[in-house]
Amino acid sequence: MHFVKAKSILSAGNGMNLYRGCLHGCIYCDARSLCYQMNHVFEDIAVKENALELLEQALKRKRKRCMIGTGAMTDPYLPIEEKLCLTRGALELIDQYGFGVTVQTKSAKILRDLELLDRINRRSKAVVQMTLTTHDDSLCRLIEPNVSVTSERVAALKVFRDAGIPTVVWLSPILPFLNDTRENIEGILQSCIDAKVKGILCFNMGVTLRDGNREYFYAQLDRHFPGLKERYIHTYGNRYELLSPRNEELMELFHGICEENGILHDGNAVFAYLHDFTEQADNSQISLFD
């Protein structure tokens, strides 16, 4: 961990990353890609020490309230968050200035801020986004080794359900020859149904690999799944987008189950919901499933 001074904190789309780098160890992590020009070891987390000061200045300058997002590139609930509390500080500022928030994570540690997220949701709008890739916890521990296993994330989603805080799930990535099975997709979707999620984002059943994360991914395949790297190379070569051979079948399954259960599953509709601040907090989420 090291500290850096940031020049700004909010992107043009009102997203922010309070940290840079990650400790979750997910074997497929796109944030490792060379195109992001990270000039330090990925696991040596860069902490934006002036992030809260910059965020408060940015919120004060805004003429119109909106949704503020965090977690797109770096999970806001890394282990160091327990000590540094930058994410909590950011949520407190968002609450103080009356903005909405959407938080993307793979960690059940977000439950620490349940009361604060509930307060934001009652005053404006809060949405929790949770990534789910692998229904089986044993496989999850290999693919996403240093983060809350899927059952813990699903349990967190149910806590937010009971609190009336809307949730969105990222069903991505689905790794060819590993978790691209009907059983895995049905298991994840049943968990989403049980948790009464508002929407699910899934654009294809597959994974993307760029220079930087490809090398890490293949090294982890060699470590945990001997011989699978060669199958990937034979099937996909050096492609960026690696679609599962079962993509069409599994996408049909995904859309069908979501449609039957009243879950938003069109990507544009889900993103529109995440960005829409004019809609008041949806505390009657359960009514979608009556």
Side-chain angles (χ1 to χ4, degrees):
M1 177 180 73
H2 63 284
F3 292 89
V4 298
K5 288 275 190 182
K7 295 181 179 179
S8 61
I9 195 64
L10 288 184
S11 69
N14 297 309
M16 63 178 176
N17 288 287
L18 305 168
Y19 307 104
R20 196 161 189 223
C22 193
L23 297 169
H24 288 339
C26 301
I27 69 173
Y28 51 76
C29 183
D30 177 69
R32 292 181 181 273
S33 301
L34 297 179
C35 64
Y36 298 119
Q37 300 180 335
M38 190 172 297
N39 57 4
H40 58 85
V41 175
F42 192 70
E43 290 78 11
D44 179 19
I45 308 301
V47 179
K48 298 178 182 179
E49 61 182 342
N50 59 333
L52 298 185
E53 177 185 348
L54 291 174
L55 177 60
E56 183 165 24
Q57 292 171 359
L59 296 180
K60 284 181 176 179
R61 287 196 302 266
K62 284 193 174 293
R63 300 173 64 182
K64 188 175 180 181
R65 293 173 183 171
C66 61
M67 296 294 288
I68 305 296
T70 189
M73 286 294 294
T74 298
D75 198 305
Y77 289 96
L78 297 174
I80 59 174
E81 167 62 20
E82 295 181 39
K83 176 181 178 181
L84 299 179
C85 293
L86 287 187
T87 299
R88 183 165 183 84
L91 292 176
E92 288 171 341
L93 287 171
I94 289 166
D95 178 42
Q96 177 183 341
Y97 287 95
F99 285 75
V101 71
T102 179
V103 183
Q104 186 175 342
T105 185
K106 293 179 184 174
S107 178
K109 288 182 172 64
I110 190 175
L111 290 173
R112 178 200 67 182
D113 295 329
L114 172 62
E115 184 177 345
L116 183 50
L117 288 164
D118 180 57
R119 188 161 71 239
I120 294 171
N121 192 49
R122 291 177 185 277
R123 295 179 179 179
S124 52
K125 180 179 176 183
V127 184
V128 171
Q129 301 180 63
M130 191 74 76
T131 299
L132 301 178
T133 68
T134 308
H135 183 63
D136 178 73
D137 281 354
S138 297
L139 182 57
C140 177
R141 289 187 178 96
L142 296 177
I143 293 174
E144 301 159 339
N146 303 322
V147 70
S148 304
V149 292
T150 301
S151 60
E152 294 171 334
R153 291 179 233 172
V154 171
L157 288 171
K158 291 178 180 178
V159 172
F160 288 114
R161 172 202 65 193
D162 294 342
I165 298 172
T167 57
V168 165
V169 161
W170 286 77
L171 180 56
S172 174
I174 300 299
L175 306 178
F177 319 125
L178 272 176
N179 59 355
D180 60 338
T181 65
R182 191 178 187 93
E183 179 184 16
N184 183 52
I185 302 306
E186 287 178 335
I188 293 173
L189 292 177
Q190 186 58 55
S191 294
C192 292
I193 294 166
D194 294 343
K196 293 183 168 58
V197 304
K198 177 80 175 182
I200 304 176
L201 285 162
C202 180
F203 302 99
N204 273 309
M205 301 290 173
V207 65
T208 58
L209 295 180
R210 311 177 202 250
D211 291 344
N213 79 311
R214 180 185 293 107
E215 291 78 4
Y216 185 82
F217 179 66
Y218 283 161
Q220 297 310 306
L221 290 186
D222 278 341
R223 179 182 177 189
H224 298 294
F225 310 99
L228 191 54
K229 178 182 75 174
E230 286 71 25
R231 188 176 183 186
Y232 266 79
I233 293 171
H234 174 75
T235 305
Y236 300 108
N238 207 36
R239 293 183 206 167
Y240 165 66
E241 187 175 23
L242 287 60
L243 294 181
S244 165
R246 306 182 67 184
N247 177 60
E248 187 173 338
E249 168 199 349
L250 295 177
M251 287 302 292
E252 184 177 351
L253 176 69
F254 161 68
H255 287 299
I257 291 177
C258 288
E259 191 68 27
E260 290 171 5
N261 290 276
I263 299 173
L264 287 178
H265 55 101
D266 174 78
N268 290 331
V270 178
F271 281 127
Y273 173 75
L274 291 172
H275 286 96
D276 182 16
F277 185 72
T278 60
E279 180 181 347
Q280 293 302 308
D282 184 5
N283 293 317
S284 58
Q285 192 176 2
I286 195 169
S287 66
L288 292 171
F289 304 90
D290 289 343

